Every structure is written in structure tokens, then in C-alpha cells.
Amino acid sequence: MVNMSDNATSNISMFNHLRAKISDPDNLKVTIEIRNIFGEFILIVIDTSHVIKLIRGCIGDMKILMNSTGKSEWRFVDKLQKVQHSNNLHLANKLRLKHIQYHRQKMKVYLATQTISNSVANAIEICDEKLKLKEFENSRETCKFLRIFISKE
């Protein structure tokens, strides 16, 4: 049996009380100490669709996210949309105004995944490295951030 949940603090706390360890990648334990009616352990799974929307909302609302190697900035995503729209040219991505104004359609997973994507990172990188657009200088960390969440097959 699988228990799907979002990443709410109350859910994580409950999983910890039930002896699941989902916050510690070195000691990961994704089952809880309760069995279902078939005698099987219950498996904990975080809803990735919800998490990607949270990530997009976090960088979109906070504007800058800091880590040990630098900062990721929403302004590069915003600027990419503006550059593409004003030139009526899209650099192999689906980024549109609705992706930037996501508060109107917060629950749409496809908008979040199309924003936090390799194609957007590639387009920002092209604007910086190939087109040498000044407004995309220092965007490397943002591109790296956008690529973290890409599925590895």
C-alpha cells in the first residue's frame, strides 16, 4: 500500500513519528511501522507534482534563492519570457506570460514543469553565452538550479 502526500511539515512530522526516514538520504526508510490488512508495510511517497509547484512558487515568490555555490534568480526566467515575446522568437521552450504570472493558475503542474526545465535553462544559457545579452550575465547558477529537477533515465 502506498501513502501519497505533499511535503507539508505536518505530514513529514507524522512520518517521523511512525519511524519513516524520508528526510535523511543516507538512512532512507520509506515504510512506516504499520501494516495494512494484507500484512504489507505502508510505503511513503511524496507527491512530486506538488513539490515541483512548490519549488516554482518558492523561486517565483522569493525571487532569489541562495546556496553554497551562488544564487538562483527568478529575474532570468522573467527576462527570458520578455525577450522571447518582444522578438516573437522562442528558443525551443514553452515559456509564456502565463508561466511568469503563475499565481493565476498555481495548480497547473504543466506550467511549473515547463518553467523549471532544461529547455528554459538552455535558452537562458544561449542568451548569456552565445548571444552575449548583458541582462543574462551571471545566470549560470540559475541554469544549474533549473536542471536539478530533470528526470534522469
Side-chain angles (χ1 to χ4, degrees):
M1 176 178 232
V2 176
N3 176 25
M4 294 287 286
S5 79
D6 61 15
N7 206 20
T9 307
S10 58
N11 289 337
I12 302 301
S13 179
M14 175 188 65
F15 297 150
N16 288 333
H17 284 298
L18 293 170
R19 295 193 188 112
K21 293 181 182 175
I22 59 173
S23 300
D24 183 0
D26 295 328
N27 297 304
L28 192 64
K29 182 176 178 247
V30 295
T31 58
I32 59 177
E33 297 295 320
I34 299 172
R35 294 178 185 256
N36 64 16
I37 60 171
F38 303 109
E40 302 164 330
F41 283 109
I42 297 173
L43 180 66
I44 303 301
V45 178
I46 300 297
D47 178 12
T48 53
S49 298
H50 188 77
V51 171
I52 199 75
K53 290 184 293 183
L54 290 172
I55 291 164
R56 183 268 325 266
C58 185
I59 191 168
D61 292 347
M62 301 300 291
K63 306 298 183 212
I64 297 175
L65 298 178
M66 301 293 293
N67 66 28
S68 61
T69 58
K71 60 185 175 180
S72 303
E73 300 181 67
W74 179 255
R75 71 182 173 101
F76 295 119
V77 177
D78 187 35
K79 189 62 182 172
L80 176 64
Q81 185 277 324
K82 288 176 180 154
V83 165
Q84 291 183 147
H85 179 74
S86 66
N87 292 302
N88 201 22
L89 173 69
H90 293 273
L91 299 169
N93 64 70
K94 297 184 178 191
L95 196 65
R96 303 290 189 275
L97 187 58
K98 64 185 174 186
H99 293 86
I100 303 303
Q101 297 175 348
Y102 61 89
H103 290 94
R104 297 176 184 179
Q105 302 179 71
K106 233 180 223 201
M107 298 307 291
K108 296 202 174 173
V109 176
Y110 80 94
L111 291 177
T113 57
Q114 289 171 349
T115 305
I116 307 295
S117 68
N118 195 41
S119 60
V120 169
N122 289 344
I124 291 170
E125 207 167 61
I126 288 168
C127 289
D128 179 26
E129 295 176 11
K130 303 284 188 229
L131 300 176
K132 306 285 188 203
L133 298 176
K134 187 174 175 76
E135 56 264 44
F136 290 94
E137 285 179 4
N138 302 314
S139 59
R140 185 173 304 238
E141 282 300 316
T142 302
C143 294
K144 201 162 103 179
F145 174 82
L146 294 172
R147 290 184 175 115
I148 289 172
F149 309 100
I150 299 168
S151 171
K152 305 283 191 251
E153 294 180 29

